Amino acid sequence: MLETLRRLVQEVNQARNLDHALSIIVHSVKAIMDVAVCSVYLRDNSNAFILMATDGLQEKAVGKVRLQEGEGLVSLVASRAEPINLRSALAHRNYHYFPETGEESYHAFLGVPIIHHRKVVGVLVVQDRDAQSFNEESETFLITVAAQLAGAIAHVEIGNDVAGQNETEPATLDSRSITGLPGAAGVAMGVARVVYPLADIAAVPDRQITDIAAELEKFEKALAAVRQELRIMSQRLEDKLPSQEHALFDAYLLMLESDSITDGIRSAIEKGNWAAGALRKVIQEHEQVFQEMEDSYMRERGDDVRDLGRRILMHLQQDAPADTDFSENTILVSEEVTPSMLADMPMDRIIGVVSVRGSRTSHVAILARALGLPTVMGAEDLPVRHIDGREVIVDGYSGRVYLSPSKTVRREYRELLNQEQELSEELQGLKGLPAETLDGEKIHLYVNTGLLADMTPTQESGAEGIGLYRTEFPFMIRQRFPGEDEQRNIYRQVLESFAPDPVVLRTLDVGGDKALPYFPIEEENPFLGWRGIRITLDHPEIFLVQIRAMLRASVGLNNLNILLPMISDVAELTDSLGLIHQAYGELLEDGENIEMPRIGVMIEVPSAVYQAGSLARRVDYLSIGTNDLTQYLLAVDRNNARVAALYDSLHPAVIRAMMQVVESARVYDKPVSVCGEMAGDPAAAILLVGMGIESLSMSVASLPRIKWVIRNLSRERATEILSVVLIMEDVHSIRAYLHEQLEQAGLGGLVRVGK
Ligand code: PEP
Ligand code: MG
């Protein structure tokens, strides 16, 4: 049964369009369950359910039968969001008869809701002639099918819209939008460019081309190259392989000669798809035919087809010119945008980013914020394969992506961009002014960074220094650990660019979602595993080299602050301090003239909250890393789009934890700063000022907004707001209340622009 389901889902995922997908569903489910009727109803914009496909009812009813909200058994299934299993539907008070369906002859009825992202998007129904209930096995099977298909249907439905098959102008702003998660603030209107891992044939997107002859030529060239390659391989292995195994090469060559494959690809190219997209389509169709075969030997031939496809793809990619064809307003789209993928792009052409996986605190989102690129993460329903070259709007405030947007949507976003422009011009005027509350309280604003390339905007931002330099980024873009001198040079540039202002260099925090290509860590649960200080304490040689490089970089500048990530108990801190003092002592012995830097601890693990006092008294300052603190306190993975709605640093538990840290540090007279993303959230900034936190570190793009909030608020008012928030019990009321406060302080622009 599992295998049948798997195949069904796979087929639906590969369907040409929504009609095709639904037709696969109704025919397969009817056959598997051996019932008289299987139908799918989908909800439209007005909440009515439309019969979209059937096997068993009259075909002519498709598209015509429409059940208004509250009408018929289908609506009942939807409103209850649970299955309804009836011996005789005809006898039920909600039964609604449509003569065109011919369903009067079917008594038994089983309807299950199709639920996607908590919303009932449709109902899957099976019916049978006799009056008898469906058994439990049938019920659980249909529930499983519906649960598995919900995502696939949503996918194909959106892909359909994007491919322009639904010509009508959408009725609401939403109708061609995908909801993901805000990754980096801002709006970008541009053209999607899908980037995919090389050699992954399933990930190749469709791409429209105009020069069909040139594309056909590329394909023929790749085909000839693969043929040649196979012949050489076959000759080389002729004496080494038994004849039966050797025949495999002949089979491959035969497949290459097969008109159904090569002509299929040619014809897809002739219809305007590029060779790689045409190849993916035809190879997948053939693979599927083999996979559906009962005979296991034949099923494995599907793997051969894929292998062949990969070989042709490799040649197509080798011949492709280096990507010089990025348009000037490219929106980078991928299943999983990684920091190195982003770093590889022509930065002057990228204006926005969309990633199917990941969330706001994924490191690629942090990088995008540093680069000022509006970004949407976790856009799970994005039909990646169908959107290359299409117009896209990225709304990094709300986390929405609009595909082939309508005129109305485009107009709305142009207006929003103008508003943004006005706001940022207004904010520009604040550059030289201090971040001081209305009652004269000075707040120090710093920026978070980790790239040398983003130093210039950072210096021009009016920041008072760097509050968090994530040293792992220079480690991530190399092929090996950088050496002491290499690191010293990088850190020196950073320290020099801001001297005499302070610069906080955080020691290496890899692990979790930050992998080094040359230092793989395989773990079941990486965020609770070998990460940050745990790795560097286990590898003092890595830690000591980094500390020495930092200390040497600070000679004569003396603006270095060291920050230790992921500290979860006092022993880790004392061990780290021991190593720092060891490195310092060695350098002094070597005759270097170095001052001892200020040392701080990140508070980002719940245990550190409860030991904040013990940690504070051993160091010079604390810095709260709200990204991890939120993830660990709420048990919500910061990278998982499915639970992202639960991830919010304004959660009462996070606010209380932060209060506790501030109070514990106050006992030892040690300053506390915030360097997680929360510091760049205008609503949250009110609370942080209210708590008495005097320094905030954020992405360069957030800085002017936060300064605006600080300059328009008194510290006294912020404290009052905090005391109201402290008696609130849920995050939604807190956010709503803070937005109201921003509006009242005349800062509604921040909320409106970021609607
Ligand atoms: C944090 O966890 O809040 C933080 C600033 O560190 P990172 O995002 O690099 O884990
Ligand atoms: Mg962290």
Side-chain angles (χ1 to χ4, degrees), residues 558-570:
N558 304 326
N559 59 341
L560 168 67
N561 295 259
I562 293 179
L563 183 59
L564 304 166
M566 285 293 293
I567 295 282
S568 59
D569 73 8
V570 173

Side-chain angles (χ1 to χ4, degrees), residues 363 470 506 509 514 531 565-566 602 604 625-629 632 638:
H363 284 93
R470 293 180 165 94
R506 183 175 70 182
D509 179 24
K514 286 177 285 192
R531 188 191 159 185
M566 285 293 293
M602 286 200 77
E604 47 184 353
T626 50
N627 305 340
D628 278 313
L629 186 60
Y632 293 128
R638 64 193 266 183

